[in-house]
Amino acid sequence: MATELPQRPRRTNGATQAGTEPQTEEAEAAAAQPREERNPRTMLIKVTALDMALPLLLYYGLRMLGMNQWLALVISGALPLARLAYQVVRERKVERMTLFSLSIIVTSTLVSLLTGDPRLVLARESYFTALVGLWMLSTLLAKRPFLYAATIRILPEATARSWREDWENSPDFRKAMRLMTAAWGAAFLIDAVARVVMAYTLPVDSVPLLGAGLLVVMLIAVVQFSKAYAKRLAVRLGRPGSA
């Protein structure tokens, strides 16, 4: 999900700074604890496999064994819940995004259990993507938008330092972060609407696969948009070779 934007030298009053980092909130937080560097592509592949591929395989496997659609959907949909619960136990802490995801999955699962309608179970996926999209868009009103706040945590320290300085000093960079956050939020909202339409108009057994395909296409589209915009931003900042 991370969009690589160019790095630049650290400056203080026009001079390159040798060792002192700008005193921003992120800088102080980074100094207070070691940074855990993670590869965004590896994280995306891992989440895709655990939260998309495995539930799909389980659903279609249970259907091949003769299980009815509603129960197969409920059981396969519980895998992301199990992963998040394991993550909380392993890390012994609950981050806001994890708590948000858990609350949505638990609520939608309980609603599904109170009905017997497989189409309602399919439509529940739209609840999560819709709320994620709205939450991303809501961060446009916050001090820092979603894409900046989420990505800077997993960047290498040198790149993160460059991002912090660009955020403080470059209006173009701040505009780019907000525009790309808006694109991500809009993509999730489009996905949510499409999932509801598919859930109530298409054959039940085709919807899980089509829904997964839709999400992949939407993510690819928004990632490519983000990369293209990042390259344009690099040119405006005078660092085309780093885009």
Side-chain angles (χ1 to χ4, degrees), residues 87-102:
Q87 179 180 327
V88 170
V89 172
R90 184 189 64 183
E91 297 180 358
R92 297 182 181 180
K93 65 178 181 180
V94 183
E95 296 183 351
R96 283 181 295 179
M97 189 60 190
T98 301
L99 183 60
F100 172 77
S101 301
L102 280 170

Side-chain angles (χ1 to χ4, degrees), residues 60-150:
Y60 288 111
L62 293 174
R63 290 292 289 142
M64 289 178 63
L65 294 175
M67 184 174 291
N68 67 65
Q69 295 168 332
W70 175 81
L71 187 56
L73 286 168
V74 170
I75 292 175
S76 61
L79 285 182
L81 176 61
R83 182 187 69 81
L84 288 173
Y86 171 74
Q87 179 180 327
V88 170
V89 172
R90 184 189 64 183
E91 297 180 358
R92 297 182 181 180
K93 65 178 181 180
V94 183
E95 296 183 351
R96 283 181 295 179
M97 189 60 190
T98 301
L99 183 60
F100 172 77
S101 301
L102 280 170
S103 63
I104 296 301
I105 294 175
V106 169
T107 301
S108 60
T109 300
L110 290 176
V111 171
S112 303
L113 292 174
L114 294 176
T115 70
D117 185 0
R119 294 191 181 277
L120 181 60
V121 181
L122 291 170
R124 74 176 181 178
E125 301 296 332
S126 67
Y127 308 158
F128 181 75
T129 53
L131 288 173
V132 167
L134 290 173
W135 173 68
M136 287 181 177
L137 293 178
S138 73
T139 66
L140 296 175
L141 303 176
K143 188 175 182 180
R144 292 174 178 82
F146 162 78
L147 190 67
Y148 176 87

